[in-house]
Amino acid sequence: MLHVDMDAFFVSVELLDRPELKGLPVAAAHDTARSVVSSASYEARRFGVRSAMPVGRAKQLCPQLVLVTPVFEKYRVASRKVMEIFREFTPLVEPLSIDEAFLDVAGSVGIFGPPIEIARLIRERVLERTGLPVSVGLAGTKFVAKLASQRAKPDGILEIPPERTLEFLHPLPIGAMWGVGAATERALKTRAIHTVGDLAREPLPSLRGIVGNASAERLHELANGRDARGVETTRVEKSIGHEETFATDVADPEKLERELLRLATRTSERLRDADLEARTVAIKVRWDTFETVTRSRTLPEPTNATQRVYRTARELFDALSPGGRPVRPVRLIGVRAEQLVPAGSEGQALWDDDEQWRAVDSAVDEVRERFGALGLTSARLLGGRDEVVDPRSLQDPG
């Protein structure tokens, strides 16, 4: 099993166009007060700059930080090229995000040689064709391969032979485990569980009392080097959504409703493009105090109708201000479709309240397909749009 991870992907793509910035602390981010770092070079990381960090904080840590405006379409194009190279070595490729993937190369050794040689060939081919650096972890399981690639960074290879899995795993800090966040880490450390080895040796009944039944079973298996998951070449969407961070806090209900419509429209279009429907609609709101709330509602029938998604999202948002009180200033707002099912899989209701909306959506989709995303849109969205910064959904952890 290989885990292949691009190094500081967004920044690495930008440096192809701006080679004079190589060796400098660079971050891909919009230079606005509300922006966050999408990707940071390893030179910037030495100062503590990290993905998802507010740009203001990044500048405090590294006053000489060079910001380059992210262009996400460039990253998508580069990602497709890299994934195509992976598939030249094996059809068993599972993309995890725009810049990383698992590869099962067990069936490829007869053609390309042992896994370590395949890893070298992949790195050479990616660099030769795209100019981008890549790190590779090799192991007998997904979990260990990902840990290995993290320790191979930047621009390296680390192989963990199956027989040395526990030797590699057990000295690692407990925070290296998948599924161990800050709260779980604190809970484990109160029971003197500081390393993966400590976790592996903890009796399962005791572990269940600390983290619950489901987490205990999973963590115990991983800590003992057991991970039966294979590469999944088809990815099933669990949710689809969009969120935006405003350049300045917004308290105008009309502007917020317009942004909800915009986000619901984008979410619904993606649902229809994927031939999916949502059982549940959810919203996410971050107030000016940084307090974040989420609300969701399960619908009587699954839908991908824009107006149904929008009206549900708006009702959820309106419920946050009962009695018609003024809306608190909003920093971020998002709409998400959850509990996805194939479109039409649950049949058609005798009375379809969304029938007319579906007809409108069908017409809009046809125009989009022929003339692009801006071919036809809601009249309400033609008004002035509040400035927003880059979505949090495209951060580059590598």
Side-chain angles (χ1 to χ4, degrees):
M1 193 76 66
L2 273 60
H3 181 257
V4 188
D5 201 355
M6 309 302 293
D7 296 327
F9 182 49
F10 295 176
V11 168
S12 295
V13 174
E14 295 295 342
L15 293 181
L16 295 177
D17 296 329
R18 302 185 61 181
E20 72 276 8
L21 297 181
K22 289 183 179 179
L24 299 178
V26 179
H30 293 278
D31 194 2
T32 65
R34 296 301 182 85
S35 293
V36 295
V37 173
S38 293
S39 177
S41 68
Y42 286 90
E43 292 81 4
R45 296 181 195 195
R46 296 190 187 105
F47 291 87
V49 178
R50 294 289 184 271
S51 297
M53 176 180 287
V55 166
R57 176 58 177 159
K59 288 181 175 180
Q60 289 177 346
L61 293 172
C62 182
Q64 65 271 46
L65 184 67
V66 180
L67 296 180
V68 293
T69 301
V71 183
F72 295 113
E73 185 56 33
K74 284 201 300 189
Y75 312 147
R76 294 187 188 99
V77 171
S79 175
R80 285 194 290 269
K81 291 179 181 178
V82 172
M83 296 297 171
E84 287 170 3
I85 293 172
F86 295 166
R87 292 186 178 93
E88 292 175 3
F89 292 88
T90 174
L92 301 178
V93 176
E94 179 184 348
L96 295 183
S97 65
I98 195 171
D99 66 341
E100 62 177 321
F102 283 116
L103 284 69
D104 185 336
V105 298
S108 304
V109 295
I111 302 172
F112 299 104
I116 189 69
E117 180 62 22
I118 295 176
R120 291 194 186 100
L121 290 171
I122 287 174
R123 293 178 70 249
E124 290 174 2
R125 198 168 294 183
V126 170
L127 184 62
E128 177 185 342
R129 295 188 189 174
T130 70
L132 298 170
V134 60
S135 296
V136 185
L138 301 82
T141 66
K142 278 184 169 181
F143 173 54
V144 179
K146 186 170 175 65
L147 290 178
S149 72
Q150 292 170 354
R151 280 149 186 79
K153 286 180 171 290
D155 196 22
I157 300 176
L158 178 59
E159 180 179 21
I160 308 299
E163 65 273 13
R164 301 187 65 180
T165 295
L166 298 185
E167 179 185 340
F168 168 74
L169 272 181
H170 284 184
L172 297 177
I174 193 64
M177 294 288 296
W178 277 352
V180 175
T184 302
E185 184 175 1
R186 286 194 297 270
L188 292 169
K189 286 183 174 179
T190 60
R191 300 291 293 271
I193 301 174
H194 298 278
T195 68
V196 177
D198 294 335
L199 181 64
R201 291 184 289 270
E202 185 73 13
L204 196 51
S206 172
L207 196 56
R208 290 192 184 104
I210 304 171
V211 299
N213 290 340
S215 294
E217 298 280 354
R218 179 175 51 81
L219 291 176
H220 197 261
E221 287 290 295
L222 293 178
N224 282 283
R226 296 188 287 268
D227 182 6
R229 295 172 303 158
V231 165
E232 298 179 5
T233 56
T234 57
R235 184 177 178 182
V236 178
E237 295 271 17
K238 295 182 179 179
S239 66
I240 288 175
H242 291 275
E243 62 185 44
E244 300 284 9
T245 301
F246 295 107
T248 57
D249 297 333
V250 175
D252 183 337
E254 184 177 341
K255 291 181 179 179
L256 291 168
E257 287 184 9
R258 188 164 61 240
E259 192 60 36
L260 280 172
L261 175 57
R262 192 187 313 277
L263 297 170
T265 298
R266 293 168 65 189
T267 298
S268 301
E269 287 174 348
R270 285 184 58 196
L271 283 171
R272 296 193 296 274
D273 288 345
D275 201 25
L276 295 170
E277 293 178 328
R279 296 176 184 271
T280 299
V281 174
I283 65 167
K284 175 181 176 181
V285 178
R286 181 168 297 144
W287 308 113
D288 59 333
T289 59
F290 284 86
E291 175 191 359
T292 303
V293 297
T294 58
R295 296 290 186 271
S296 64
R297 178 181 299 169
T298 298
L299 306 173
E301 293 92 23
T303 189
N304 55 23
T306 296
Q307 283 297 317
R308 177 64 65 196
V309 173
Y310 163 62
R311 292 190 179 194
T312 304
R314 191 186 65 188
E315 290 168 4
L316 290 169
F317 180 74
D318 289 345
L320 296 177
S321 300
R325 294 195 302 270
V327 175
R328 295 165 57 186
V330 173
R331 180 183 180 90
L332 173 149
I333 195 166
V335 174
R336 182 161 293 277
E338 301 175 342
Q339 290 188 285
L340 307 185
V341 297
S345 62
E346 299 200 2
Q348 187 94 2
L350 183 60
W351 302 104
D352 184 4
D353 293 334
D354 295 348
E355 183 177 358
Q356 290 182 322
W357 291 343
R358 293 182 198 279
V360 172
D361 288 337
S362 178
V364 170
D365 292 343
E366 183 177 349
V367 172
R368 275 198 307 123
E369 185 176 348
R370 293 182 61 188
F371 302 106
L374 299 179
L376 185 64
T377 189
S378 169
R380 288 192 65 190
L381 298 183
L382 295 177
R385 184 184 181 191
D386 296 280
E387 182 186 359
V388 296
V389 299
D390 47 311
R392 302 293 293 272
S393 60
L394 277 175
Q395 292 164 3
D396 165 22

